[in-house]
Amino acid sequence: MSTVQVMLADRSYTIRIQRQCLRELGAVLKGDHGVSRTVLMTTRRVARLHAPELRAGLEDAGLGGAQIEVPDGEAAKTLRVAQRVYDQLIELGADRGTFLVGLGGGALCDLMGFVASTFLRGIAAVQVPTTLLAQVDASVGGKTAVNHARGKNLIGTFHQPRLVWIDPAALDTLPVREFRAGMAEVVKVAAIWDAAFFAWLEESAEAVLRRQPEPLAHAIRRAVEIKAEVVGLDERELGLRALLNFGHTMGHAIEAVNGYRRIRHGEAVAMGMIFAARLSESLAVVASPVSERIANLLARIGLPAAPPDWREQRQAHLHAIAVDKKVRDGAIGMVLLEEIGRATVRPIPPEGLLAGEF
Amino acid sequence: MSTVQVMLADRSYTIRIQRQCLRELGAVLKGDHGVSRTVLMTTRRVARLHAPELRAGLEDAGLGGAQIEVPDGEAAKTLRVAQRVYDQLIELGADRGTFLVGLGGGALCDLMGFVASTFLRGIAAVQVPTTLLAQVDASVGGKTAVNHARGKNLIGTFHQPRLVWIDPAALDTLPVREFRAGMAEVVKVAAIWDAAFFAWLEESAEAVLRRQPEPLAHAIRRAVEIKAEVVGLDERELGLRALLNFGHTMGHAIEAVNGYRRIRHGEAVAMGMIFAARLSESLAVVASPVSERIANLLARIGLPAAPPDWREQRQAHLHAIAVDKKVRDGAIGMVLLEEIGRATVRPIPPEGLLAGEF
């Protein structure tokens, strides 16, 4: 059994990473957290694959079988769907002592966290991520969100979970495109924080992609450790945590321009990292070239290098960036690399991004 | 000038209480808080009465004239209205550096706080309350909320404001029924926390009701001090802060059963306090009778003593209480009095409330 701690004073929590751990969650919630009632929130597709084990454990612990299903994917991250979940929580008699358990991918993590943070002014959330992206990124750190017609994640809160429960074996059934997309966030934390981990990924990418248990568990664990460390240093993104947005400024714009269904979040982040790395070079923020190493690793993972129709859509991307959450006083806080393993945030006016390329 | 501090580590803030202070807010935001951009959120009715002074000060400080209007009163506290405010904030180009300034009564405070806490994962909120209820209660302490069809304030967050700006002169134009309703919350904090303040209210009720500047300012200031002290001790209502819910359990039920337009929140709280005081006596929680003193003071203020059609509607009220936020593991945390100035929370199953009367 492997655990990582997120250290945030009275909001500290444990991330457990272990194959086949879903069955045990109920006993741990009951025994270690004194939980007497849970509501499971998931999607129909995820429920079919992973809910039986989790539910059996919850029921063995006497925590009930209440379940709420929401649509799959990014389309479910709306206030309208959140409203339907509130309705069902009230119908189920959920109260302040109820733990909301979210089983699913990144979108489900974001939506479940948002509902948990706003229902009755905040109830306990337990994240059980079932995609690589959710395991290494969305489930850890307490960012919650729903989307607005004008941009992704524009509505949300900070609400740390009480527990994160990661079963790497859940990834065995993950479609290959989703797995590759999740790897983008693994590459991201290595690129901004840990040159040795980046080098390990360069050595081990194929083994991780084959989902060999040991390399896969190592990749998840190290990515989670880095995220936990950064979040512990800067929970509310007043400074350091912004480094985790590496690749995300252009990434969000790519998603907005192309539609959330056509391009996966991780794919957009991969392209955004290449853009940001090249921009780091053209603005002379890096000492030596980094974009080739990043682009090569991402290519080996099978991630796209540039958005479709970039030349025609350049203005649309820059317009999408102008409504980004990270704009402040007219400039965007852009994460750039100083070298592999070290990043910095620079305020750049949106037109300054024209210096970037893929 | 009179100020009260809410002590919450890095979320501490100042409450300023001063007649005719609206004009000065802009200069203080600019000078003391380094604000470069504000959006004013208010209602049409309040804007007509109080916005000119406030806007003039904001504009003199170069903080812009952006304004969002929402409907008046409790009816505006919905996700639908919040969604429209998000739309307008994005349209106005609001970013993470923008301060959202809420000018209005309790409902506006709650809604503005909710929007500020969820827009871009939280932007700064400044409360400028214009009713007595909002000045002594809703604007202080960081509780935000919108309503759900099934109950009041079921959706919300904790989000402390950066500054609370109270002009007692704004109450000169407050309708007498609203003023009396606000007095219920003043009586409440005295009843649970400060016997001397309760005795002062018994002496000074008529002078406060005539809105004589000195007694009025004292009543506001002492009520705000008590609320600030309680919130500083227990921001998230894990214990002590629940005492501020005195009168609110039955109060919320009365509002739900009778409709939020027919009965003012303060009127419902007044009735709820009488119910809770009588229940404290019938459960022998108090050493000596308290309900007569409370009922007498509330009657002098001109507040109602019992909900209409209580006998016929008793079951409906108990049903409304069963979905209250304060229910946990099947029992409601009911605030009862031990004496004037001292309160306690007791878990009581909903049927235990049948021992109560008005």
Side-chain angles (χ1 to χ4, degrees), chain A residues 120-136:
Chain A
L120 309 181
R121 293 205 186 91
I123 63 173
V126 177
Q127 296 282 11
V128 188
T130 58
T131 66
L132 181 57
L133 183 123
Q135 292 187 350
V136 298

Side-chain angles (χ1 to χ4, degrees), chain A residues 87 118 120-121 144 148 154 156, chain B residues 87 118 120-121 144 148 154 156:
Chain A
D87 295 347
T118 51
L120 309 181
R121 293 205 186 91
T144 85
H148 185 276
L154 291 182
Chain B
D87 295 347
T118 52
L120 309 182
R121 294 203 184 95
T144 84
H148 185 276
L154 291 181

Side-chain angles (χ1 to χ4, degrees), chain A residues 256-317:
Chain A
V257 169
N258 292 282
Y260 297 108
R261 278 169 215 201
R262 194 162 153 212
I263 293 195
R264 296 284 175 282
H265 176 65
E267 294 168 353
V269 169
M271 297 184 260
M273 287 193 286
I274 293 173
F275 180 86
R278 299 244 156 94
L279 188 64
S280 307
E281 289 165 358
S282 60
L283 296 177
V285 174
V286 286
S288 60
V290 293
S291 67
E292 281 310 303
R293 273 182 79 188
I294 291 174
N296 285 343
L297 178 55
L298 293 172
R300 279 169 57 203
I301 291 167
L303 286 162
D309 312 321
W310 164 245
R311 274 166 218 287
E312 297 72 31
Q313 298 281 355
R314 181 191 283 264
Q315 278 308 320
H317 285 80

Side-chain angles (χ1 to χ4, degrees), chain B residues 137-154:
Chain B
D137 191 45
S139 65
V140 176
K143 279 192 178 179
T144 84
V146 295
N147 297 323
H148 185 276
R150 287 284 296 276
K152 199 175 156 175
N153 296 345
L154 291 181

Side-chain angles (χ1 to χ4, degrees), chain B residues 206-273:
Chain B
E206 282 72 20
V208 176
L209 285 171
R210 281 195 302 270
R211 309 183 203 184
Q212 293 178 6
E214 285 304 314
L216 175 59
H218 178 75
I220 293 169
R221 187 191 162 98
R222 185 63 197 132
V224 164
E225 280 174 352
I226 294 170
K227 177 131 195 207
E229 186 180 352
V230 173
V231 168
L233 291 166
D234 176 24
E235 180 182 9
R236 293 204 158 229
E237 197 169 311
L238 302 174
L240 197 62
R241 182 169 179 168
L243 300 182
L244 293 172
N245 294 324
F246 179 54
H248 280 63
T249 298
M250 182 55 78
H252 281 166
I254 292 169
E255 289 180 273
V257 169
N258 292 281
Y260 296 106
R261 277 171 216 198
R262 194 162 153 213
I263 292 195
R264 296 285 175 283
H265 175 65
E267 293 168 354
V269 169
M271 298 184 260
M273 287 194 284

